[in-house]
Amino acid sequence: MAGLTELSRSIRGKVALVTGAASGMGRATAHLFADEGARVAVTDLAADGVKRVTEEIEGAGGEACGWLLDVSDRAEIESVVAEVVERFGGLDILVNNAGISQPSPVDAEDYEEKWERTLAVNLTAHMRTIRACLPHLKRGGAGRIVNVASTDGLGATAHGSPYTASKHGVIGLTRGLAVELGAQGVTVNCICPGPIHTGMTAAIPADAKDVFARRKVPLRRYGRPEEVAQATLHLVLPASSYINGAVLVVDGGMLAQNHLASLRDSP
Ligand code: NAI
């Protein structure tokens, strides 16, 4: 039939930079964007992973190019963004996904070390990558930024205060820049994944994951990286032109659930 609506759900030909794209949700996002016809800058500090994901995309007939990028290094961010723009002729979409989790009780000897590293990678790097990409994102008049926070950006897990603080910060950064950049045609949104099967959660034993999911997640399971990538894709569509400053929870209903009820109802 002839289309009745105007806005496009296609990112074909758009240039997207994804940080932490070697694994987990970053890899799934790079795959999905490439499937949708975007030209993808695959960046990560893991060289083998960058190579693998780039080859996976090219092998499937998509367009990608890989860069080594440690997002805690300001100079590297600036040079990689410049190279991406030179290689692809512009930049339309930034997904700030790279992140680490280093649990630590607040009175541990190495707490401050973990705090510094976690804030540098999970929060300061988002701000720096946005600043480096911004002139290019503004140019097209419809730039898209998605920051990956966490359900720990809205609540907290014991012994995870550096991570929790960084993810609350990501939500604050998202809202602050959504308000600031909206008038310049750039939208800034944020994804809050719940428990997802990725490298970050790989060390948690399967039975512990099962118990957690049964008790805490209405869908009774961990999520898959691609299920989060689909939410990210939605936020970067041309059609999502009025979504700005949103905090999109992708957690199988975890935060919606009343914990007393979940303990009563779950095995
Ligand atoms: P992952 O460990 O599978 O992937 C993270 C990627 O980031 C890795 O490829 C790693 O090499 C890269 N990375 C780490 N430090 C980096 C740095 N300094 N520079 C560049 N790349 C770096 O983990 P996952 O889960 O896919 O993580 C993606 C994002 O999702 C993170 O921001 C994480 O905090 C967030 N998240 C994860 C959840 C989960 O249950 N897996 C839940 C909520 C949020």
Side-chain angles (χ1 to χ4, degrees):
M1 65 179 273
L4 297 169
T5 55
E6 285 176 8
L7 297 174
S8 165
R9 291 187 60 79
S10 171
I11 56 166
R12 184 159 299 281
K14 302 271 188 200
V15 178
L17 189 161
V18 183
T19 67
S23 170
M25 287 180 265
R27 173 172 172 262
T29 303
H31 281 175
L32 179 61
F33 283 16
D35 273 356
E36 294 294 313
R39 295 177 288 158
V40 184
V42 175
T43 75
D44 200 291
L45 52 60
D48 49 343
V50 168
K51 184 167 178 287
R52 192 181 62 246
V53 174
T54 306
E55 285 172 358
E56 286 166 352
I57 292 172
E58 288 172 339
E63 191 174 344
C65 191
W67 279 270
L68 267 187
L69 171 58
D70 178 345
V71 293
S72 66
D73 183 326
R74 184 206 306 255
E76 253 181 55
I77 292 174
E78 287 167 2
S79 68
V80 167
V81 169
E83 285 176 30
V84 168
V85 169
E86 195 180 328
R87 165 73 172 73
F88 289 118
L91 181 64
D92 306 292
I93 297 164
L94 166 65
V95 180
N96 270 319
N97 163 81
I100 54 171
S101 168
Q102 300 185 331
S104 174
V106 69
D107 51 3
E109 187 92 353
D110 61 352
Y111 180 83
E112 287 207 19
E113 218 172 277
K114 289 184 172 171
W115 171 275
E116 299 284 350
R117 181 69 187 162
T118 303
L119 271 287
V121 174
N122 291 7
L123 180 59
T124 305
H126 284 214
M127 170 276 290
R128 287 187 177 147
T129 311
I130 290 170
R131 279 168 52 83
C133 292
L134 196 54
H136 313 290
L137 294 170
K138 280 185 192 168
R139 207 157 287 142
R144 297 277 184 268
I145 298 170
V146 176
N147 296 320
V148 178
S150 166
T151 45
D152 275 335
L154 298 162
T157 304
H159 299 163
S161 56
Y163 187 79
T164 300
S166 72
K167 295 301 187 179
H168 276 65
V170 171
I171 293 176
L173 178 70
T174 301
R175 289 179 168 148
L177 295 184
V179 170
E180 184 173 330
L181 300 178
Q184 298 167 52
V186 177
T187 65
V188 190
N189 292 292
C190 169
I191 294 275
C192 290
I196 311 294
H197 286 293
T198 68
M200 190 173 276
T201 54
I204 303 170
D207 54 344
K209 281 181 175 141
D210 280 349
V211 169
F212 178 90
R214 271 205 313 276
R215 291 198 175 151
K216 305 273 191 192
V217 184
L219 288 180
R220 302 283 188 266
R221 62 175 176 85
Y222 267 48
R224 297 193 303 273
E226 188 183 332
E227 294 178 301
V228 180
Q230 291 286 355
T232 304
L233 171 63
H234 184 71
L235 294 175
V236 306
L237 295 176
S240 297
S241 41
Y242 206 58
I243 303 178
N244 189 30
V247 177
L248 180 52
V249 175
V250 186
D251 70 346
M254 185 175 79
L255 291 188
Q257 178 159 279
N258 178 313
H259 287 292
L260 285 176
S262 73
L263 285 175
R264 203 178 51 225
D265 299 343
S266 301

